[in-house]
Amino acid sequence: VAEVGVFTLNAGPADDYLGASDADIPLSRSVNVGRFYPDHFRLSSSTLDNACVAGNFSYMGQPLSLEYIVQAENLAGAITQNYDDDSLGWTPTATLSYQTENNNDGVERNIANRFTVNTLDWIQGVVAVSDPAASFLRKVGSNPEDGPFMNLDMGLQLSDSLDSRLLQALDMDSGSDSDCVVATNCSAIKLGSPLRAYFGRMHLKDAFGPETADIPMFWQNEYWNGSRFVINQADSCAALPVSNITFTDKYNIVFNDK
């Protein structure tokens, strides 16, 4: 059996049974056989790139384009198409979650689900995620500034609580700063390319001048370098159209960067 599920087997004579083509022998049906389940799961492809490709960075909370495909496979490596949340007939199927780690420092960064992804169901043995709005969010709390994360890996973790089948080719463990492949204790597989994640802000600089003259006003894109905000010299991607600036009164200016 190369598929998953519960099967019944039918047995009956050939069309010409012992020379008698008109032999009336009924089919024999077995009791239920199985449950058969996948031999393993495999990440067949994945892409994840920085939001600002030209500058090779992303701001926390900025939409990221993430695509990946996970397949439920039999021992021969073929997709088990019966592994489907709608038609499989048993639960639970394997679930997917995420890890994040910067430069293999052994510190899990996906606290409170900072890495947000629209994960889909199993359909004919495949989970195919194509999310243009995945995001690594800012830290929650009174002091949200953190980073910069210069080599931030996103890892996919699979849990199969029913059958204990494993995701193949694991190469990441966010809870350890050792080489988990050598130590054979990896718990996730990396998705796409590492990110460079900044806690960013747009800073409007002070402007001075007489009330009879037009006064130019400047803003600059900055990121938190671990101790203070500095200008992001690599940012050639962010833009703020004049139409997105609203003067609410003589004292307040509202920026809409959405």
Side-chain angles (χ1 to χ4, degrees):
V1 176
E3 262 293 352
V4 301
V6 178
F7 299 86
T8 57
L9 305 178
N10 297 326
D15 292 339
D16 187 355
Y17 181 68
L18 298 179
S21 60
D22 59 348
D24 187 15
I25 302 176
L27 292 176
S28 177
R29 175 170 293 182
S30 73
V31 297
N32 288 344
V33 179
R35 243 180 359 98
F36 294 92
Y37 46 77
D39 178 73
H40 62 269
F41 299 91
R42 183 172 66 88
L43 178 69
S44 64
S45 64
S46 70
T47 59
L48 174 63
D49 297 308
N50 278 301
C52 181
V53 177
N56 191 33
F57 75 91
S58 304
Y59 289 120
M60 298 177 192
Q62 196 170 18
L64 303 167
S65 180
L66 170 66
E67 295 184 358
Y68 70 81
I69 296 175
V70 179
Q71 299 176 175
E73 298 181 344
N74 60 26
L75 184 61
I79 298 174
T80 51
Q81 296 188 29
N82 287 353
Y83 199 78
D84 190 299
D85 279 318
D86 290 332
S87 60
L88 184 60
W90 77 74
T91 57
T93 51
T95 58
L96 301 173
S97 58
Y98 302 93
Q99 298 182 8
T100 61
E101 183 184 23
N102 184 57
N103 202 32
N104 195 33
D105 60 4
V107 179
E108 171 57 65
R109 309 286 179 180
N110 194 28
I111 305 301
N113 296 319
R114 290 181 70 177
F115 186 50
T116 61
V117 181
N118 180 26
T119 301
L120 304 177
D121 293 335
W122 290 96
I123 300 176
Q124 295 185 347
V126 173
V127 170
V129 170
S130 180
D131 189 354
S135 185
F136 181 71
L137 303 177
R138 293 181 172 186
K139 185 176 64 174
V140 176
S142 57
N143 298 299
E145 299 89 351
D146 67 345
F149 301 124
M150 307 302 285
N151 192 33
L152 188 66
D153 283 312
M154 304 298 180
L156 179 69
Q157 188 170 5
L158 181 144
S159 176
D160 181 12
S161 61
L162 184 61
D163 298 314
S164 301
R165 299 293 87 193
L166 301 177
L167 182 62
Q168 302 294 291
L170 301 181
D171 58 2
M172 178 179 174
D173 179 27
S174 61
S176 172
D177 61 1
S178 63
D179 187 337
C180 70
V181 175
V182 174
T184 66
N185 63 352
C186 297
S187 54
I189 186 169
K190 296 175 183 177
L191 292 172
S193 303
L195 301 177
R196 179 175 294 175
Y198 292 152
F199 183 102
R201 72 177 186 181
M202 183 170 286
H203 180 207
L204 178 66
K205 302 185 69 176
D206 291 336
F208 304 92
E211 62 182 12
T212 56
D214 293 335
I215 302 174
M217 302 180 69
F218 300 94
W219 64 77
Q220 58 195 31
N221 296 324
E222 302 175 340
Y223 71 92
W224 181 256
N225 73 351
S227 58
R228 62 189 180 92
F229 282 99
V230 297
I231 297 176
N232 186 2
Q233 302 283 0
D235 190 352
S236 61
C237 298
L240 182 61
V242 174
S243 59
N244 286 24
I245 304 174
T246 303
F247 294 87
T248 59
D249 56 43
K250 64 179 180 179
Y251 299 110
N252 297 312
I253 302 175
V254 176
F255 292 90
N256 178 15
D257 62 351
K258 302 301 183 183

